Amino acid sequence: MNIVIAAVGRMRPGPEQLLLDSYIKRIPWSVEVREVEARGKGDAASQTKQETEGLLAAIPAGAKVVCLDSR
């Protein structure tokens, strides 16, 4: 099994990075983190559209998708 974590933004050094590294070490499968950046200019709707397109492009063909949201 290969796991791809696609997220908007860059992971900065800190507690979140340490936690991610800890989990990746414990998982017996291949884990790849793909960071998506949308540097578009414009309104919030345009930015959201670019981020969505980046996330969709990061998903490998035939993959099962699990979406996580803070809500």
Side-chain angles (χ1 to χ4, degrees):
M1 177 185 320
N2 297 322
I3 298 174
V4 175
I5 300 172
V8 175
R10 295 256 176 221
M11 178 66 75
R12 293 183 213 139
E16 292 86 6
Q17 180 68 54
L18 294 173
L19 187 61
L20 176 64
D21 293 341
S22 174
Y23 280 122
I24 288 174
K25 286 178 188 173
R26 292 189 236 170
I27 297 173
W29 307 292
S30 167
V31 178
E32 177 185 354
V33 177
R34 296 183 184 177
E35 297 170 328
V36 174
E37 282 197 62
R39 296 186 178 195
K41 299 185 182 190
D43 59 1
S46 174
Q47 184 75 19
T48 300
K49 182 179 179 198
Q50 289 179 356
E51 292 171 355
T52 301
E53 290 170 353
L55 287 171
L56 291 173
I59 299 170
K64 304 269 185 200
V65 178
V66 177
C67 296
L68 303 176
D69 187 314
S70 60
R71 292 176 266 151

